[in-house]
Amino acid sequence: MNSSQIIKELNFKAIRSSGAGGQHVNKVSSKIELTFDLENSLSLYDEEKEFLKSKLSSKLTKENLLILFCEETRSQHKNKEIAIKRFLDLINENLMKPKKRKPTKPSKAIIKKRIENKKRTSEKKSFRKKPKLD
């Protein structure tokens, strides 16, 4: 995946930010909406697209659009930079294939310790029973 090529495929839209901030918030569009069309991306291979579709299924729309918002700062440019960084981190993180787990066996010392613990617990519980009177 080439990050400079994928950035060219991003669409940005500036919207008015919500929340407190007074007059500045009401007149300036500083919130950024980043949109990425996963289906029609030219910078990703088909298997990468399928992998991302499965991993990011909760974040994608029905048309396989990934939409991210950023309204952290009062600057539109900084919000755009933050949104791009988040997007690249999200893509890179979800393209990594998890390491295969190597099954391991517990050591003999651990097995012995577990059995001794079980014996101790069983003994402790056996003392709680009422004694048998013959």
Side-chain angles (χ1 to χ4, degrees):
M1 179 196 80
N2 188 355
S3 60
S4 62
Q5 190 177 10
I6 205 165
I7 290 173
K8 292 176 185 173
E9 295 180 8
L10 299 176
N11 293 316
F12 298 97
K13 188 174 165 186
I15 342 168
R16 285 199 185 137
S17 203
S18 62
Q23 190 179 3
H24 183 75
V25 166
N26 299 334
K27 66 181 184 179
V28 179
S29 300
S30 59
K31 181 178 181 178
I32 291 291
E33 178 186 279
L34 178 147
T35 314
F36 177 68
D37 189 359
L38 184 62
E39 195 71 46
N40 299 319
S41 174
L42 300 172
S43 56
L44 295 170
Y45 298 114
D46 289 335
E47 64 249 10
E48 287 178 328
K49 288 179 190 178
E50 292 304 315
F51 195 64
L52 284 173
K53 277 183 205 172
S54 64
K55 287 272 214 145
L56 298 173
S57 60
S58 64
K59 295 183 186 287
L60 295 173
T61 63
K62 290 177 186 172
E63 299 83 34
N64 288 322
L65 290 175
L66 176 67
I67 301 172
L68 296 175
F69 293 99
C70 183
E71 56 178 335
E72 284 180 19
T73 66
R74 291 174 65 164
S75 164
Q76 192 182 98
H77 299 293
K78 282 185 184 174
N79 282 339
K80 190 175 178 181
E81 287 173 17
I82 293 168
I84 291 171
K85 186 181 181 312
R86 275 191 203 154
F87 168 76
L88 291 174
D89 289 345
L90 186 71
I91 296 295
N92 288 331
E93 190 178 302
N94 285 295
L95 278 178
M96 275 189 214
K97 298 210 169 140
K99 289 182 181 176
K100 211 168 193 177
R101 184 186 173 276
K102 293 178 186 172
T104 57
K105 290 182 181 176
S107 66
K108 288 182 180 179
I110 295 292
I111 293 170
K112 187 178 176 185
K113 189 177 178 183
R114 192 182 112 254
I115 290 171
E116 284 173 5
N117 264 340
K118 286 176 90 171
K119 281 181 184 174
R120 241 184 275 126
T121 307
S122 134
E123 215 173 83
K124 187 194 305 178
K125 289 189 175 190
S126 70
F127 286 133
R128 294 178 188 164
K129 291 180 184 175
K130 288 185 178 179
K132 287 185 181 177
L133 299 170
D134 289 326

Coordinates of all heavy atoms in Angstrom, one line a residue, residues 54-114:
S54 N -13.8 -7.1 5.9 CA -14.2 -7.9 7.0 C -13.8 -7.3 8.3 O -14.5 -7.4 9.3 CB -13.6 -9.3 6.8 OG -12.2 -9.2 6.9
K55 N -12.6 -6.7 8.4 CA -12.1 -6.1 9.6 C -12.8 -4.8 10.0 O -13.1 -4.6 11.2 CB -10.6 -5.8 9.5 CG -9.7 -7.0 9.5 CD -9.3 -7.3 10.9 CE -8.0 -7.9 11.0 NZ -7.2 -7.6 12.1
L56 N -13.2 -4.0 9.0 CA -13.8 -2.7 9.3 C -15.3 -2.7 9.0 O -15.9 -1.6 8.8 CB -13.1 -1.6 8.4 CG -11.6 -1.4 8.6 CD1 -11.1 -0.4 7.6 CD2 -11.4 -0.8 10.0
S57 N -15.9 -3.9 9.0 CA -17.3 -4.0 8.7 C -18.2 -3.0 9.5 O -19.2 -2.5 9.0 CB -17.8 -5.4 8.8 OG -17.6 -5.8 10.1
S58 N -17.9 -2.8 10.8 CA -18.7 -1.9 11.6 C -18.5 -0.5 11.3 O -19.4 0.4 11.6 CB -18.4 -2.2 13.1 OG -17.1 -1.8 13.3
K59 N -17.4 -0.1 10.6 CA -17.1 1.3 10.3 C -17.5 1.7 8.9 O -17.5 2.9 8.5 CB -15.6 1.6 10.5 CG -15.2 1.5 12.0 CD -13.8 1.9 12.1 CE -13.2 1.6 13.5 NZ -13.7 2.5 14.5
L60 N -17.9 0.7 8.1 CA -18.2 1.0 6.7 C -19.7 1.2 6.5 O -20.5 0.6 7.2 CB -17.7 -0.2 5.8 CG -16.2 -0.4 5.7 CD1 -15.9 -1.7 4.9 CD2 -15.5 0.7 5.1
T61 N -20.0 2.0 5.5 CA -21.4 2.1 5.1 C -21.8 1.0 4.2 O -21.0 0.2 3.8 CB -21.7 3.5 4.4 OG1 -20.9 3.5 3.2 CG2 -21.3 4.7 5.2
K62 N -23.1 1.0 3.7 CA -23.5 -0.1 2.8 C -22.8 0.0 1.5 O -22.7 -1.0 0.8 CB -25.1 0.0 2.6 CG -25.9 -0.3 3.8 CD -27.3 -0.1 3.6 CE -28.1 -0.4 4.9 NZ -29.5 0.0 4.7
E63 N -22.4 1.2 1.1 CA -21.7 1.3 -0.2 C -20.2 1.2 0.0 O -19.4 1.5 -0.9 CB -21.9 2.7 -0.8 CG -23.4 3.0 -1.1 CD -24.2 3.5 0.1 OE1 -23.6 4.2 1.0 OE2 -25.4 3.1 0.2
N64 N -19.7 0.6 1.1 CA -18.3 0.4 1.4 C -17.5 1.7 1.5 O -16.4 1.8 1.0 CB -17.7 -0.6 0.5 CG -18.1 -2.0 0.8 OD1 -18.3 -2.4 1.9 ND2 -18.4 -2.8 -0.2
L65 N -18.1 2.7 2.1 CA -17.4 4.0 2.3 C -17.0 4.1 3.7 O -17.7 3.7 4.6 CB -18.4 5.2 2.0 CG -18.8 5.5 0.6 CD1 -19.8 6.6 0.5 CD2 -17.6 5.8 -0.3
L66 N -15.8 4.5 3.9 CA -15.2 4.7 5.3 C -15.3 6.2 5.5 O -14.8 7.0 4.8 CB -13.8 4.2 5.4 CG -13.1 4.4 6.7 CD1 -13.7 3.6 7.8 CD2 -11.6 4.1 6.6
I67 N -16.0 6.6 6.6 CA -16.2 8.0 6.9 C -15.6 8.3 8.3 O -16.0 7.6 9.3 CB -17.7 8.4 6.9 CG1 -18.2 8.1 5.5 CG2 -17.8 9.9 7.2 CD1 -19.7 8.3 5.4
L68 N -14.7 9.2 8.3 CA -14.1 9.7 9.6 C -14.3 11.1 9.8 O -14.3 11.9 8.9 CB -12.6 9.4 9.6 CG -12.1 8.0 9.5 CD1 -10.6 7.9 9.4 CD2 -12.5 7.2 10.7
F69 N -14.6 11.5 11.1 CA -14.8 13.0 11.4 C -13.6 13.4 12.3 O -13.1 12.6 13.1 CB -16.1 13.2 12.1 CG -17.3 12.9 11.3 CD1 -17.9 11.7 11.4 CD2 -17.8 13.8 10.4 CE1 -19.0 11.4 10.6 CE2 -18.9 13.6 9.6 CZ -19.5 12.4 9.7
C70 N -13.3 14.7 12.2 CA -12.3 15.3 13.1 C -12.7 16.7 13.4 O -12.9 17.5 12.5 CB -10.9 15.2 12.6 SG -9.7 15.8 13.7
E71 N -12.9 17.0 14.7 CA -13.3 18.4 15.1 C -12.5 18.8 16.4 O -13.0 19.5 17.2 CB -14.8 18.6 15.3 CG -15.4 17.6 16.3 CD -16.9 17.8 16.5 OE1 -17.4 18.9 16.2 OE2 -17.6 16.9 16.8
E72 N -11.3 18.3 16.5 CA -10.5 18.5 17.7 C -10.0 19.9 17.9 O -10.0 20.4 19.0 CB -9.3 17.5 17.7 CG -9.7 16.1 18.1 CD -8.5 15.1 18.1 OE1 -7.4 15.6 18.2 OE2 -8.8 13.9 18.0
T73 N -9.5 20.5 16.8 CA -8.9 21.8 16.9 C -9.8 22.8 16.2 O -10.8 22.5 15.5 CB -7.5 21.9 16.2 OG1 -7.7 21.7 14.8 CG2 -6.6 20.8 16.8
R74 N -9.5 24.1 16.3 CA -10.2 25.2 15.7 C -9.8 25.4 14.3 O -10.4 26.1 13.5 CB -10.1 26.5 16.5 CG -10.8 26.4 17.8 CD -10.5 27.6 18.7 NE -11.1 28.8 18.1 CZ -11.3 29.9 18.7 NH1 -10.9 30.0 20.0 NH2 -11.7 31.0 18.1
S75 N -8.7 24.7 13.9 CA -8.1 24.9 12.6 C -8.5 23.8 11.7 O -8.4 22.6 12.0 CB -6.6 24.9 12.7 OG -6.0 24.7 11.4
Q76 N -9.0 24.2 10.5 CA -9.5 23.2 9.5 C -8.3 22.4 9.0 O -8.4 21.1 8.8 CB -10.1 23.9 8.4 CG -10.9 23.1 7.4 CD -11.5 23.9 6.3 OE1 -10.9 23.9 5.2 NE2 -12.6 24.5 6.5
H77 N -7.2 23.0 8.8 CA -6.0 22.3 8.3 C -5.4 21.3 9.3 O -5.1 20.2 8.9 CB -4.9 23.3 7.9 CG -5.3 24.3 6.9 ND1 -5.5 23.9 5.6 CD2 -5.6 25.6 6.9 CE1 -5.9 25.0 4.9 NE2 -5.9 26.0 5.7
K78 N -5.4 21.6 10.6 CA -4.9 20.7 11.6 C -5.9 19.5 11.7 O -5.5 18.3 11.8 CB -4.8 21.3 12.9 CG -3.5 22.2 13.1 CD -3.4 22.7 14.4 CE -2.2 23.6 14.5 NZ -2.1 24.3 15.8
N79 N -7.2 19.8 11.6 CA -8.2 18.7 11.6 C -8.0 17.8 10.5 O -8.2 16.6 10.6 CB -9.6 19.3 11.7 CG -10.0 19.8 13.0 OD1 -9.4 19.4 14.0 ND2 -11.0 20.7 13.1
K80 N -7.7 18.3 9.3 CA -7.5 17.5 8.1 C -6.3 16.6 8.3 O -6.3 15.4 8.0 CB -7.3 18.5 6.9 CG -7.3 17.8 5.6 CD -7.2 18.8 4.4 CE -7.2 18.1 3.1 NZ -7.1 19.1 2.0
E81 N -5.2 17.2 8.9 CA -4.0 16.4 9.1 C -4.3 15.3 10.1 O -3.8 14.1 9.9 CB -2.9 17.3 9.7 CG -2.2 18.2 8.7 CD -1.3 19.2 9.3 OE1 -0.8 19.0 10.5 OE2 -0.9 20.2 8.6
I82 N -5.0 15.6 11.2 CA -5.3 14.6 12.2 C -6.2 13.5 11.6 O -6.0 12.3 11.8 CB -6.1 15.2 13.4 CG1 -5.1 16.2 14.1 CG2 -6.6 14.2 14.3 CD1 -5.8 17.1 15.1
A83 N -7.2 13.8 10.7 CA -8.0 12.9 10.1 C -7.2 11.9 9.2 O -7.4 10.7 9.2 CB -9.1 13.6 9.3
I84 N -6.3 12.5 8.4 CA -5.4 11.7 7.5 C -4.6 10.7 8.3 O -4.5 9.5 8.0 CB -4.5 12.6 6.6 CG1 -5.4 13.4 5.6 CG2 -3.5 11.8 5.9 CD1 -4.6 14.4 4.8
K85 N -4.0 11.2 9.4 CA -3.2 10.4 10.3 C -4.0 9.2 10.8 O -3.6 8.1 10.8 CB -2.5 11.2 11.4 CG -1.5 10.4 12.2 CD -1.0 11.2 13.3 CE 0.0 10.5 14.2 NZ -0.3 9.2 14.6
R86 N -5.2 9.5 11.4 CA -6.1 8.5 11.9 C -6.4 7.5 10.8 O -6.5 6.3 11.1 CB -7.4 9.1 12.4 CG -7.3 9.6 13.8 CD -8.7 10.0 14.3 NE -8.6 11.0 15.3 CZ -9.6 11.8 15.6 NH1 -10.7 11.8 15.0 NH2 -9.5 12.6 16.6
F87 N -6.7 8.0 9.6 CA -7.1 7.1 8.5 C -6.0 6.1 8.2 O -6.2 4.9 8.1 CB -7.5 7.9 7.3 CG -7.6 7.1 6.1 CD1 -8.7 6.3 5.9 CD2 -6.6 7.1 5.1 CE1 -8.9 5.5 4.7 CE2 -6.8 6.3 3.9 CZ -7.9 5.5 3.7
L88 N -4.8 6.7 8.0 CA -3.6 5.8 7.7 C -3.3 4.8 8.8 O -3.0 3.6 8.5 CB -2.4 6.7 7.4 CG -2.4 7.5 6.1 CD1 -1.2 8.4 6.0 CD2 -2.6 6.6 4.9
D89 N -3.4 5.2 10.1 CA -3.2 4.3 11.2 C -4.2 3.2 11.2 O -3.9 2.0 11.4 CB -3.3 5.1 12.5 CG -2.1 6.0 12.8 OD1 -1.1 5.8 12.0 OD2 -2.2 6.8 13.7
L90 N -5.5 3.6 10.9 CA -6.6 2.6 10.9 C -6.3 1.6 9.8 O -6.5 0.3 10.0 CB -7.9 3.3 10.6 CG -9.2 2.5 10.7 CD1 -9.4 2.1 12.1 CD2 -10.3 3.3 10.2
I91 N -6.0 2.0 8.6 CA -5.7 1.1 7.4 C -4.5 0.2 7.7 O -4.6 -1.0 7.6 CB -5.5 1.9 6.1 CG1 -6.8 2.7 5.8 CG2 -5.1 1.0 5.0 CD1 -8.0 1.9 5.4
N92 N -3.4 0.8 8.2 CA -2.2 0.0 8.5 C -2.4 -1.0 9.6 O -2.0 -2.2 9.5 CB -1.0 0.9 8.8 CG -0.5 1.7 7.6 OD1 -0.6 1.2 6.5 ND2 0.0 2.9 7.9
E93 N -3.1 -0.6 10.6 CA -3.4 -1.5 11.7 C -4.3 -2.7 11.3 O -4.0 -3.8 11.7 CB -4.1 -0.7 12.8 CG -4.3 -1.4 14.1 CD -5.0 -0.5 15.1 OE1 -4.5 0.6 15.4 OE2 -6.0 -0.9 15.6
N94 N -5.2 -2.4 10.4 CA -6.1 -3.5 10.0 C -5.6 -4.3 8.9 O -6.2 -5.4 8.5 CB -7.5 -2.9 9.7 CG -8.2 -2.6 11.0 OD1 -8.6 -3.4 11.8 ND2 -8.5 -1.3 11.2
L95 N -4.6 -3.9 8.2 CA -4.0 -4.7 7.1 C -2.9 -5.7 7.7 O -2.5 -6.6 7.0 CB -3.3 -3.8 6.1 CG -4.2 -3.2 5.0 CD1 -3.4 -2.3 4.1 CD2 -4.9 -4.3 4.3
M96 N -2.5 -5.5 9.0 CA -1.6 -6.4 9.6 C -2.2 -7.7 9.8 O -3.3 -7.8 10.4 CB -1.0 -5.8 10.9 CG 0.1 -4.9 10.7 SD 0.8 -4.5 12.3 CE 1.3 -2.9 12.1
K97 N -1.6 -8.8 9.4 CA -2.1 -10.1 9.7 C -1.6 -10.6 11.1 O -0.4 -10.4 11.4 CB -1.6 -11.1 8.6 CG -2.2 -10.7 7.3 CD -2.4 -11.8 6.4 CE -3.2 -11.3 5.2 NZ -2.8 -11.8 3.9
P98 N -2.5 -11.1 11.9 CA -2.1 -11.5 13.3 C -1.1 -12.7 13.2 O -1.2 -13.5 12.3 CB -3.4 -11.9 13.9 CG -4.3 -12.2 12.8 CD -3.9 -11.3 11.7
K99 N -0.2 -12.7 14.1 CA 0.8 -13.9 14.2 C 0.0 -15.1 14.6 O -0.9 -15.1 15.3 CB 1.8 -13.6 15.3 CG 2.8 -12.5 14.9 CD 3.9 -12.4 16.0 CE 4.8 -11.3 15.6 NZ 5.8 -11.0 16.7
K100 N 0.5 -16.2 14.0 CA -0.1 -17.5 14.3 C 0.3 -18.0 15.7 O 1.5 -17.9 16.0 CB 0.3 -18.5 13.2 CG -0.7 -19.6 13.0 CD -0.4 -20.4 11.7 CE -1.6 -21.2 11.3 NZ -1.4 -21.9 10.1
R101 N -0.6 -18.5 16.4 CA -0.3 -18.9 17.8 C 0.4 -20.3 17.8 O -0.1 -21.2 17.1 CB -1.6 -19.0 18.6 CG -1.4 -19.4 20.0 CD -2.7 -19.6 20.8 NE -2.4 -20.1 22.1 CZ -2.2 -21.4 22.4 NH1 -2.2 -22.3 21.5 NH2 -2.0 -21.8 23.7
K102 N 1.5 -20.4 18.5 CA 2.2 -21.6 18.6 C 1.7 -22.3 19.9 O 1.9 -21.8 21.0 CB 3.7 -21.4 18.7 CG 4.3 -20.9 17.4 CD 5.8 -20.6 17.6 CE 6.4 -19.9 16.4 NZ 7.7 -19.5 16.6
P103 N 1.0 -23.5 19.8 CA 0.6 -24.1 21.0 C 1.7 -24.6 21.8 O 2.7 -25.1 21.3 CB -0.3 -25.3 20.5 CG 0.1 -25.4 19.0 CD 0.7 -24.2 18.6
T104 N 1.6 -24.4 23.1 CA 2.7 -24.8 24.0 C 2.1 -25.8 25.1 O 0.9 -25.7 25.4 CB 3.3 -23.6 24.7 OG1 2.3 -22.9 25.4 CG2 4.0 -22.7 23.7
K105 N 3.0 -26.6 25.7 CA 2.6 -27.5 26.8 C 3.1 -26.9 28.1 O 4.2 -26.3 28.1 CB 3.2 -28.8 26.6 CG 2.7 -29.6 25.4 CD 3.3 -31.0 25.3 CE 2.8 -31.7 24.1 NZ 3.5 -33.0 24.0
P106 N 2.3 -27.1 29.2 CA 2.8 -26.6 30.5 C 4.0 -27.5 30.9 O 4.0 -28.7 30.6 CB 1.6 -26.8 31.4 CG 0.7 -27.7 30.7 CD 1.0 -27.6 29.2
S107 N 4.9 -26.8 31.6 CA 6.1 -27.6 32.1 C 5.7 -28.5 33.2 O 4.7 -28.4 33.8 CB 7.2 -26.6 32.6 OG 6.7 -25.9 33.8
K108 N 6.6 -29.5 33.4 CA 6.4 -30.5 34.4 C 6.2 -29.9 35.8 O 5.4 -30.4 36.6 CB 7.5 -31.6 34.4 CG 7.4 -32.5 33.2 CD 8.5 -33.6 33.2 CE 8.3 -34.4 32.0 NZ 9.4 -35.5 31.9
A109 N 7.0 -28.9 36.1 CA 7.0 -28.2 37.4 C 5.6 -27.6 37.6 O 5.1 -27.7 38.7 CB 8.1 -27.2 37.5
I110 N 5.1 -27.0 36.6 CA 3.8 -26.3 36.7 C 2.7 -27.4 36.9 O 1.8 -27.2 37.7 CB 3.5 -25.5 35.4 CG1 4.5 -24.3 35.3 CG2 2.1 -25.0 35.4 CD1 4.3 -23.2 36.4
I111 N 2.8 -28.5 36.2 CA 1.8 -29.5 36.4 C 1.8 -30.1 37.8 O 0.8 -30.2 38.4 CB 2.0 -30.7 35.3 CG1 1.8 -30.2 33.9 CG2 1.2 -31.9 35.7 CD1 2.2 -31.1 32.8
K112 N 3.0 -30.3 38.3 CA 3.2 -30.8 39.7 C 2.6 -29.8 40.7 O 1.9 -30.2 41.6 CB 4.7 -31.0 39.9 CG 5.0 -31.7 41.3 CD 6.5 -32.0 41.4 CE 6.8 -32.6 42.8 NZ 8.2 -32.7 43.0
K113 N 2.9 -28.5 40.5 CA 2.4 -27.5 41.4 C 0.9 -27.4 41.4 O 0.3 -27.3 42.4 CB 3.0 -26.1 40.9 CG 2.7 -25.0 41.9 CD 3.4 -23.7 41.3 CE 3.1 -22.6 42.2 NZ 3.7 -21.3 41.7
R114 N 0.3 -27.6 40.2 CA -1.2 -27.5 40.1 C -1.8 -28.7 40.8 O -2.8 -28.5 41.6 CB -1.6 -27.6 38.6 CG -3.1 -27.3 38.4 CD -3.5 -27.4 36.9 NE -4.3 -28.5 36.8 CZ -4.0 -29.6 36.2 NH1 -2.8 -29.8 35.7 NH2 -4.9 -30.6 36.1

